[in-house]
Amino acid sequence: PRLLSQFFFADERVTRVVAEINGLDAELDPQQYLVLLNQLHLSQAHLLAILERIMEECIPTQRHSRDYLVKFPEELLVDNLGNHMLFAAECLLAGTFLEVEEADGAQLRPQARNLLCSLELVRTVLREQSLSQPGSYPEPVRAVLVQFDRLFAEFELSYVSSLVAVKSPEEIYRQQEIIVLFCETVERALRLGYLTQEMIDGYEPLLMFTIPRLAIISGLLIYPEGPLSLERSPEQMSRVFSPFYNLLKKIRDLLRVLSAEELCLLERSLCTAE
């Protein structure tokens, strides 16, 4: 059950697969090479997962900040992102630029080298510790873990920033405004009886359509200074809404001529129509 013991055997698996790959002629047996490569990725992912648990146990208050993750596109925030970063570092060190431009790759190579050297040091130190005192983390072990955690975070941010356009602080703030708008829309809909708490607690599928529809009305009429404010230019709006700037203006103009009763009837109909 000890994490260091788990790390030892996970590290053994990685070492064994690497040895098999190095002893194989990929041109003579490409299928077996692909099988081993997949095994390597799986064993490395398992190793990193255990290492993550060790760092949470050993240096929980010294972890490098991961606040930058909110800047990443949501499609990149997957469970195997760490393993992908490790693979990217290995490719960069080998001079292979699979996803980034060559100039960006050349700038990233020193970071990739430092990261992989730090990982090797971590593996060596943890293996030795697992064989001597698998239940403790002395200061030298903590120091190499802190260094690896920092280098990994710095490489992850640099690599992803060269790969895609990360969100600016302004875009993150606009997304937070949308979250607030949706929360206030739900609160208002509950108060007016458009929705019930049971629908929300039961994850009623219709809510995926109902809440955004009500949020558009709320954003245009009830909270006109929020993220749907048409006093801003399209460039100042969130990218979620900016492509529909002219359409939103037309909707707002139509909503303004409705009486209170007509608006209520419209909102109720939006809660039932598919």
Side-chain angles (χ1 to χ4, degrees), residues 1-270:
R2 292 174 176 171
L3 287 177
L4 281 176
S5 298
Q6 295 178 32
F7 183 89
F8 176 85
F9 290 107
D11 187 74
E12 284 280 286
R13 283 193 290 272
V14 171
T15 301
R16 184 172 62 250
V17 175
V18 169
E20 291 184 40
I21 290 176
N22 290 337
L24 180 71
D25 190 329
E27 294 183 358
L28 293 178
D29 196 348
Q31 185 173 359
Q32 180 62 15
Y33 175 77
L34 292 176
V35 170
L36 289 175
L37 195 61
N38 183 61
Q39 290 181 8
L40 177 61
H41 290 163
L42 292 176
S43 59
Q44 283 180 330
H46 182 57
L47 183 72
L48 286 179
I50 296 176
L51 180 56
E52 177 69 22
R53 292 168 59 195
I54 289 175
M55 290 190 292
E56 281 299 309
E57 181 178 88
C58 180
I59 54 168
T61 61
Q62 298 172 276
R63 299 295 304 272
H64 195 82
S65 173
R66 295 304 199 278
D67 290 346
Y68 60 82
L69 289 174
V70 300
K71 298 181 178 183
F72 291 1
E74 292 183 4
E75 59 269 19
L76 290 183
L77 300 178
V78 293
D79 292 337
N80 63 345
L81 179 60
N83 199 39
H84 184 79
M85 290 299 103
L86 182 58
F87 178 68
E90 292 170 341
C91 290
L92 288 172
L93 197 58
T96 304
F97 310 108
L98 295 179
E99 299 176 312
V100 298
E101 297 293 332
E102 186 172 349
D104 293 330
Q107 291 184 338
L108 288 166
R109 283 190 72 184
Q111 281 186 287
R113 181 183 298 106
N114 291 338
L115 172 60
L116 294 176
C117 289
S118 178
L119 177 59
E120 286 303 309
L121 178 59
V122 165
R123 290 176 63 183
T124 300
V125 169
L126 291 184
R127 280 173 62 89
E128 293 175 353
Q129 187 65 24
S130 67
L131 292 172
S132 58
Q133 293 178 301
S136 64
Y137 300 101
E139 184 55 36
V141 173
R142 296 173 182 269
V144 296
L145 288 173
V146 169
Q147 181 188 47
F148 170 75
D149 188 49
R150 175 180 60 81
L151 291 174
F152 198 104
E154 290 175 352
F155 176 77
E156 184 174 56
L157 176 58
S158 298
Y159 185 82
V160 174
S161 297
S162 68
L163 189 63
V164 297
V166 298
K167 300 172 186 174
S168 66
E170 292 76 17
E171 180 63 21
I172 294 172
Y173 178 74
R174 292 175 192 138
Q175 288 188 338
Q176 292 173 338
E177 281 189 315
I178 295 173
I179 294 171
V180 172
L181 172 63
F182 273 56
C183 291
E184 292 178 336
T185 296
V186 170
E187 182 181 357
R188 176 174 174 269
L190 288 171
R191 187 173 66 252
L192 296 177
Y194 297 156
L195 306 176
T196 65
Q197 190 62 48
E198 289 72 20
M199 295 172 65
I200 296 174
D201 294 340
Y203 300 101
E204 173 63 44
L206 186 60
L207 295 179
M208 291 193 298
F209 302 98
T210 298
I211 294 176
R213 291 167 176 170
L214 294 177
I216 290 175
I217 294 179
S218 296
L220 293 174
L221 292 184
I222 313 301
Y223 310 108
E225 296 181 358
L228 283 180
S229 173
L230 298 179
E231 301 304 317
R232 306 174 179 178
S233 66
E235 293 74 21
Q236 294 174 311
M237 297 178 70
S238 169
R239 286 179 288 182
V240 175
F241 296 116
S242 57
F244 310 104
Y245 185 81
N246 292 329
L247 177 60
L248 289 170
K249 271 192 169 183
K250 294 178 181 178
I251 294 175
R252 182 195 61 181
D253 294 341
L254 290 172
L255 291 174
R256 282 177 171 176
V257 303
L258 298 179
S259 65
E261 292 77 10
E262 290 171 332
L263 179 61
C264 179
L265 181 61
L266 172 62
E267 289 185 306
R268 287 191 179 279
S269 67
L270 290 177

